[in-house]
Amino acid sequence: MTILNQPFGTKYNSAPFSKIKDEDFLPAFKTAIKKAKSEIDAIVNNEANPTFENTIEALDYSGEELDRISSIFFNLNSAETNDKIQKIAQEVSPLLSEFSNDITLNEDLFKRVKAVYDSKSDLDLTTEEETLLDKKYKGFSRNGANLPKDKKEKLRAIDKELSQLKLKFGEHILAETNKFEMHLTDESEVSGLPDGAKEAAKQLAESKGKDGWLITLDYPSYIPFMTYADNRELREKLSKAFGSKGFHNDELDNQDIVLRIANLRFERAQLLGYKTHAHFVLEERMAETPEKVNAFLEELLEKAKPAAENEFKKLESFAKDLDHIDQLQKWDSAYYSEKLKQKLFDLDDEKLKPYFKLENVINGAFIVAKKLYGLQFEDIKTIDKYHKDVLTYKVTDSEGELVSIFYADFFPRAGKRNGAWMTSYKPQMVKNGENERPHVSIVCNFTKPTKSKPSLLTFNEVTTLFHEFGHALHGMLANTTYPSLSGTNVYWDFVELPSQVLENWCYEEESLKLFATHYETGEVIPMDLIEKIKASSTFHEGMQTLRQISFGLLDMAWHGIDPSTISDVKQHELKAFEGTKLYPDVGENCMSTAFAHIFQGGYSSGYYSYKWAEVLDADAFEYFKEEGIFSKTVAEKFKSFVLSQGGTENPMVLYKKFRGKEPQPDALLRRAGLIEKR
């Protein structure tokens, strides 16, 4: 027995982080894989005829111990990694890939699943049971169960190599991020930086025994510098460092990895009878086909491009008048956009930040969740954590019943990848008559407190926190029977709806007044600032939309074609960006080599889903606005048909149950100011 064998014997059966040593993981994985294999063998060797209960249900509940160890380990590899953990990940990933293939390519197991599937019309299944049966059957048929032996072996080899390549891609990006430092010693070099950003840079330099200021590629350091630093040459240097991650033709280069991943995914799709990787992926998405995705992106492009070009011309003209800039470059974008925004709206993030102390914003998210869904959040110290910065909460409903355990991890550090995400340590499910509640976590990289100031968030960080908290609510309020259909286990282009819809509460006076108070005086955010936030919410919306479309098009350019003839990553990328280009290209930079969403995360052929979900969220929030943003009726419908249902039913069916009709893109275009409001 190791500490990683379950149950853990901890309060709420939470992960015993402080007792786990890195070296515990590999033997624990091997033991859990062995146990999971024996559970599969028990299903296969069952002498009784295949039934929904002894085959489909048993399969979904199998491997629970392995799933929990995996969630703990891979979450640590993202949020608190080290060389040891990365090395273990490289060893473990092929084992997990092999185990996954052992299941999907197990002919006897597939025979049992198929027997149940073929008798579906004779079974009296609930909607959730029918969805699970379809999902299990497709899990086999879409992953090679019908292939001949030689092709099954080929599939195994591809999956094994892909699992290692994706890890290596991410390790390279983290190493590149940690490697770069811009050490500044002259006060003039930090001219324009807000006091808080300067103090943080000074504190970072001091922590490394250096004078002056240290600027890094971590978002809380990088973004303020690109937004406020007056020194254009230094902005250029920092921008090029950020944009060239994985593109230096050295040991951390990702170009060959990108090409290899794209080709292996294509090869895999072809092996399974699909035209491209995108065709394979999108079969199980709301969008259904690459043609539909491209049509969706093109339709948005048609609406957004004229607005984006108009905004860009105005920005060019503004920079020329202000500083005689003849040619706007990418490192000028945030700097002059911020100056123009201040001029047009008299709104500066530095004026807003005092009203968004991190603790107050967290509390604001909790108040919104309480008003909408009756949730209570209690800060508890009895839950083990993997780093001292992590906050832990017990979440209960209005009856005092446990809903979830919630972890929140907000500040950057060397072992943590950039960005923000929601994840889970334990899924929700109903097993042996007991509704097991989930353990959910959000991870962000916000501005740290300094000696003189608490953590004060930019407005963008406020919306990021609400976004990830929206995902967390989707996980917390899960109420399904089967773990594989629970919480955020939904179609990928539906998963962003709960997160993106919650961002809307950051713009509403009724909501902001509940938590946006000055960290020193306690003054509630003034009405004029709220009006300015709302007025500026569509500032450069055309350019922002164009940027998101360009990422979606790049994703499809890698995954919606045969990539075997691509030899130059950068040239292929330039071609994909042709129709969305505003700024001159930077030769030293390449997005694909650091595009972790599609080459490391789960967004391959799925990046379009951010805009897709915006259509859903704008349409859904119009409903809230019609009835009141804290309408119990609308919130209850959203909880009942979206948040609690997970992947138990087709998402469009669930959405229509909530909204009463299909979503209309016009709601998004109205909100974005790209078409006239009603």
Side-chain angles (χ1 to χ4, degrees), residues 158-324:
I158 288 172
D159 287 344
K160 185 175 179 179
E161 189 178 348
L162 275 171
S163 71
Q164 290 172 309
L165 286 170
K166 289 196 291 185
L167 279 174
K168 198 161 274 305
F169 181 96
E171 285 169 15
H172 286 179
I173 299 309
L174 183 62
E176 288 267 49
T177 303
N178 289 337
K179 190 170 80 165
F180 178 86
E181 285 179 351
M182 193 160 74
H183 184 206
L184 309 175
T185 52
D186 188 326
E187 181 98 38
S188 67
E189 294 174 314
V190 288
S191 161
L193 272 192
D195 290 343
K198 260 200 265 194
E199 189 183 354
K202 196 166 198 59
Q203 215 164 282
L204 184 62
E206 282 170 10
S207 73
K208 301 203 173 184
K210 295 181 178 179
D211 294 328
W213 302 266
L214 266 190
I215 307 297
T216 71
L217 299 181
D218 284 324
Y219 286 158
S221 178
Y222 173 78
I223 288 169
F225 199 90
M226 295 307 299
T227 308
Y228 296 104
D230 295 325
N231 188 314
R232 194 182 186 211
E233 282 181 20
L234 291 177
R235 289 202 314 271
E236 178 180 353
K237 181 182 177 183
L238 191 64
S239 172
K240 285 181 173 174
F242 190 89
S244 60
K245 286 184 284 190
F247 192 58
H248 291 124
N249 293 306
D250 58 8
E251 72 283 356
L252 298 176
D253 194 273
N254 274 342
Q255 290 174 86
D256 287 344
I257 291 177
V258 163
L259 289 171
R260 187 69 182 143
I261 287 175
N263 277 286
L264 284 171
R265 284 172 172 167
F266 174 74
E267 208 179 318
R268 188 182 195 281
Q270 291 261 295
L271 204 57
L272 293 165
Y274 293 86
K275 190 177 172 186
T276 67
H277 178 67
H279 285 84
F280 170 75
V281 169
L282 292 166
E283 185 181 66
E284 291 292 284
R285 298 286 191 267
M286 289 177 84
E288 297 171 335
T289 66
E291 291 74 23
K292 271 197 190 174
V293 169
N294 286 321
F296 169 70
L297 292 172
E298 289 299 331
E299 185 188 349
L300 279 183
L301 181 59
E302 195 184 314
K303 300 268 181 15
K305 195 171 182 179
E309 288 173 338
N310 187 36
E311 290 164 3
F312 187 70
K313 272 183 197 152
K314 286 179 180 170
L315 189 63
E316 273 187 315
S317 168
F318 174 72
K320 194 173 177 98
D321 291 347
L322 191 68
D323 287 332
H324 311 293

Side-chain angles (χ1 to χ4, degrees), residues 432-476:
N432 301 324
E434 187 186 339
N435 193 329
E436 294 196 13
R437 300 313 302 164
H439 297 181
V440 170
S441 172
I442 61 172
V443 188
C444 305
N445 282 274
F446 294 151
T447 311
K448 275 184 146 176
T450 62
K451 286 170 189 166
S452 69
K453 283 191 179 76
S455 174
L456 300 176
L457 304 188
T458 64
F459 189 70
N460 189 46
E461 288 176 325
V462 174
T463 58
T464 296
L465 193 152
F466 268 69
H467 178 101
E468 299 309 332
F469 188 64
H471 279 310
L473 289 173
H474 199 184
M476 288 179 208

Side-chain angles (χ1 to χ4, degrees), residues 575-599:
K575 199 170 165 213
F577 284 154
E578 263 171 9
T580 57
K581 185 179 164 191
L582 293 173
Y583 291 91
D585 176 58
V586 181
E588 299 94 320
N589 287 7
C590 182
M591 175 162 182
S592 299
T593 55
F595 200 173
H597 270 79
I598 68 169
F599 288 113

